[in-house]
Amino acid sequence: MKQVIQICGYKNSGKTTLIAGLVTIFKGMGLQTAVIKHDVHGFEGDVEATDTYKLRKAGATATAITSPWRTAVVEERETPLAELVEQFHSYDLILVEGFKQADYPKLVMLHQPEDVELITQLSGIVALICRRDAGIEALRESESSLGSDPLLPEGVEVASFSADELEQIADFILKHVKAQ
């Protein structure tokens, strides 16, 4: 079963908020969900003054810490998405935030009308998720009389949700994953 779904969108489009809501729903269903997040700006995951931070700052190329409840690994390199997906293969579902050019089914977050151009840059789109404050819903309603979705390239059909329809989005993801 292909268990990977990407959530793509521009910065501040609501990707992390959506994923957090979905993870809560999936956990309530008894599913183990892994999340892989892409950060093109860099991040600092270790807290200053911890042992792992000190070891990394001393020059360790990789550090790991584990306890009976948690494991964390920090490597001083970018890890390819495929490698991360393989590491998480035992989970019921893997949600990927970002990695726009990867080849997995995508849910695309649209925050404002200008975000629509992102659709033309991506492949594998299976659903659009529009924030109610984006003005996109009004555009869609005003042009829906044309017979096709005005936000998509000619001939492309995908599911469409409002960002607050978490239960429906979760159901859609599970049905899509099972169909693969």
Side-chain angles (χ1 to χ4, degrees), residues 105-124:
K106 293 173 182 63
L107 281 64
V108 179
M109 298 287 305
L110 302 174
H111 174 59
Q112 50 195 352
E114 298 79 33
D115 292 354
V116 171
E117 62 98 0
L118 178 61
I119 296 169
T120 63
Q121 301 171 18
L122 302 176
S123 63

Side-chain angles (χ1 to χ4, degrees), residues 119-136:
I119 296 169
T120 63
Q121 301 171 18
L122 302 176
S123 63
I125 300 171
V126 295
L128 300 178
I129 302 173
C130 303
R131 289 183 35 176
R132 290 226 186 264
D133 61 344
I136 294 166

